[in-house]
Each structure stands twice: as C-alpha cells, then as structure tokens.
Amino acid sequence: MTDDQFREILRRLGLSWEGYRRVRKGVKKRLSEHLARLGCRRVEDYLRLLHEVPSSRREALLLMGVTISRFFRDLRVWDALESRVIPEILASGLREVSVWSAGCGRGEEVYTLKMLWEHLRENRPHLPDLTIRATDRNPENLAAAAMGIYPKSTLREVPALFRERFFSELGKGRVAIVASSLHENILWMVHDLMEDPPPRGGFHLVFLRNSLLTYYGESRAARALPRVLSSLGDGGFLVIGRKESLPSSVESLRGFLPEEGIYRKAWSRGGRTL
Ligand SMILES: C[S@@+](CC[C@H](N)C(=O)[O-])C[C@H]1O[C@@H](n2cnc3c(N)ncnc32)[C@H](O)[C@@H]1O
C-alpha cells in the first residue's frame, strides 16, 4: 500500500495523516492484511466497501487504533499534576476526586495516576478517595488494562521509587505486573468518543491524551470535543498531549499550564462563560 493510498483511506475515515505519519508502517501492514482477508485486491475496492458498508468503517477504526503508551509518559506533565494541579483540586476540600481517562488505551496513564495518588497519601493520610472512569473504544485494550500486565519497555520513565513499590516482575523479568492495590476504584468501560454520549460526571480532571486530538482530522475532533468538555466540572482540569493543540473553536477552557497541555474549564453562570 502506498502512502497516497493510505492517506486516502485516512481521509475517508476522517483521520489525520499528521497523526498517523510516524506510525504508518505498522498500521499500513495491519490494514494490508485486513484487505487481504476481505478479498480486496485493490485499495479502490476497499474504499468502495467503506463507503457502502457502515460496519466496515467501525472495523477499520478499531483496527487502526494506536495503543503505544508508557507509564509516566511525559514526566513533566506528572510533575505538574503533582505540584500544581492536584493541590488546586484538593484546595476545595472535596471528599472524592473523580477523573475520566478518555481513550485510556491499555491503562498505563490510569495506573500512573493511581501510583501518584498512593504516593501523595503517604504525607496526607486524609487524601480524598480517587475514582477513575477509564474508557476506550476498543474492548481488547480495556481487557488488557484490567489485567495490569505490561512489557518492561512501558516502564522506562517510571521513577525507581515507584517501580519498586508498585511493580513486580514476571516471565524472567520481561513483563511487569502492577500491584493489586492499584486496581481499586477504576471503572473500565467501552466508550467511543465519536459516537457515544459522554459519561455524566462533573469530573475534576479529564485526560484526553494522544487519542482524539492526534488521530482524527481537525473537524471531526472539533465536533467531538464539546461532548468531552461537557463532562468536565466547572473549574475542572483537562490534560491533552504535550504535542497536541486544541481547536480554535473551544471557548470554555483557559490555559493553566498550556506548555504541558493542561487547561482549566472556566466557571459558567447563567449559561455564560466567566
Ligand atoms: C495511544 S493510546 C493513548 C493512551 C493514553 N491516553 C496515553 O496518552 O498514553 C490511544 C487510544 O485511543 C483510543 N481511541 C481512539 N479513538 C477513540 C475513540 N473514538 N473513542 C475512544 N477511544 C478511542 C484507541 O483505542 C487507543 O487505545
């Protein structure tokens, strides 16, 4: 499959070439195998199928999902969460902090937040409970996430302290398993950001990293984003990927630490954004 053919498939699915450019080798391989299984000899045949059979689009989108991630991905973001964002959230004296990880992949981001929370609890025994809604379009990713077993390569940014405390090794050290305490209060759920209504929540913190804003074309992402933001409570924080940017149409967010991809939802009163 040539790059031009791949670009055309992306275009038809509303996906972004910029997002897929660096990972295209593996995705093109998966797609070519898929086309062969379907008996599509030419890419044009597949494009026709995508046009005529709605389920083939859903299948393609699942197949093209990119799950690459790692624990403590972009350490600076986690430092900023610990030193700036979480203290701000805690300042309002909540009993429970609720978080949504949207497009959580295989759960590395979710368990990272749990580790950070456990770590903070050491100095603050009265830290509120943390509940996490972790959603992804792909049920296979969620099943893997719930198991909590990872290749060692996903641990390369984990500080030694956390590594020792929260992971044990399996399979002659090739894989690591997360501590059972980290599994508590996480609700893993299939949810498609493009199609499903957003979870009701008034979340205090929403992670939307390396999914919607990377892999979708601008107009599709801009259409889906307001639904995500409607789940964020007033004054709540949104974390996007460090290399991602928000569509210019978004009015309800203020930069909090925009260089780290951290924004805050403005307070609204009487339908007006303040
Ligand atoms: C690269 S992972 C990101 C994991 C984590 N958020 C991170 O930044 O490390 C991207 C995930 O987004 C999910 N995804 C892509 N489109 C989605 C959609 N429309 N709805 C829900 N999840 C989606 C994919 O299934 C994949 O698991």
Side-chain angles (χ1 to χ4, degrees):
M1 182 183 298
T2 65
D3 276 351
D4 283 344
Q5 289 170 326
F6 181 58
R7 284 180 86 137
E8 185 54 23
I9 294 174
L10 291 174
R11 196 183 68 76
R12 299 280 183 103
L13 292 169
L15 299 172
S16 151
W17 163 251
E18 275 313 309
Y20 275 94
R21 195 166 51 83
R22 281 195 320 159
V23 290
R24 68 185 183 282
K25 195 168 163 216
V27 180
K28 272 165 61 171
K29 183 162 178 272
R30 263 185 274 154
L31 257 182
S32 303
E33 288 164 2
H34 183 59
L35 263 64
R37 276 196 302 275
L38 291 171
C40 293
R41 292 238 193 101
R42 300 172 321 145
V43 170
E44 290 72 27
D45 300 333
Y46 184 60
L47 292 173
R48 195 167 331 110
L49 190 76
L50 286 178
H51 181 64
E52 288 168 4
V53 184
S55 63
S56 67
R57 290 179 69 87
R58 278 196 290 279
E59 211 173 17
L61 288 167
L62 272 184
L63 184 91
M64 294 174 70
V66 176
T67 51
I68 303 163
S69 186
R70 53 192 188 274
F71 295 92
F72 286 93
R73 181 179 205 168
D74 295 327
L75 258 176
R76 281 173 46 178
V77 176
W78 295 98
D79 286 343
L81 282 165
E82 180 175 358
S83 61
R84 302 283 308 278
V85 175
I86 293 175
E88 196 77 29
I89 293 175
L90 296 180
S92 49
L94 298 164
R95 288 239 205 101
E96 184 182 299
V97 172
S98 63
V99 177
W100 177 21
S101 167
C104 66
R106 296 191 175 150
E108 294 89 340
E109 169 181 279
V110 176
Y111 291 122
T112 300
L113 181 63
K114 292 281 295 189
M115 286 186 248
L116 195 58
W117 207 260
E118 293 290 299
H119 172 67
L120 291 173
R121 200 186 286 283
E122 280 175 4
N123 295 322
R124 303 177 73 142
H126 301 298
L127 201 67
D129 287 338
L130 173 71
T131 59
I132 306 182
R133 183 84 59 99
T135 65
D136 199 276
R137 180 177 58 192
N138 190 335
E140 284 178 20
N141 294 344
L142 295 169
M147 294 244 295
I149 300 175
Y150 295 92
K152 286 290 277 297
S153 56
T154 61
L155 271 68
R156 65 173 189 271
E157 278 184 81
V158 180
L161 184 80
F162 290 84
R163 220 181 239 245
E164 281 155 27
R165 179 161 171 208
F166 295 109
F167 290 94
S168 38
E169 293 188 352
L170 282 179
K172 295 187 182 153
R174 281 194 297 274
V175 293
I177 180 163
V178 299
S180 55
S181 64
L182 298 184
H183 289 263
E184 285 165 20
N185 294 336
I186 303 173
L187 183 61
W188 305 102
M189 264 179 57
V190 176
H191 176 272
D192 191 322
L193 290 161
M194 291 295 166
E195 292 182 5
D196 297 329
R200 283 210 225 136
F203 293 103
H204 303 110
L205 175 61
V206 171
F207 288 87
L208 183 70
R209 303 198 308 159
N210 310 301
S211 56
L212 188 70
L213 300 172
T214 290
Y215 296 108
Y216 289 86
E218 218 174 297
S219 63
R220 291 203 80 202
R223 260 185 281 140
L225 190 62
R227 289 207 296 271
V228 176
L229 299 184
S230 70
S231 285
L232 192 59
D234 284 357
F237 292 87
L238 175 77
V239 186
I240 65 172
R242 285 194 70 223
K243 294 192 183 126
E244 295 177 320
S245 51
L246 291 166
S248 52
S249 53
V250 175
E251 287 178 355
S252 59
L253 293 173
R254 308 282 174 265
F256 183 75
L257 292 169
E259 64 283 12
E260 308 303 344
I262 302 178
Y263 295 82
R264 191 165 199 184
K265 187 167 173 181
W267 279 261
S268 65
R269 208 167 290 150
R272 283 177 46 234
T273 299
L274 303 177

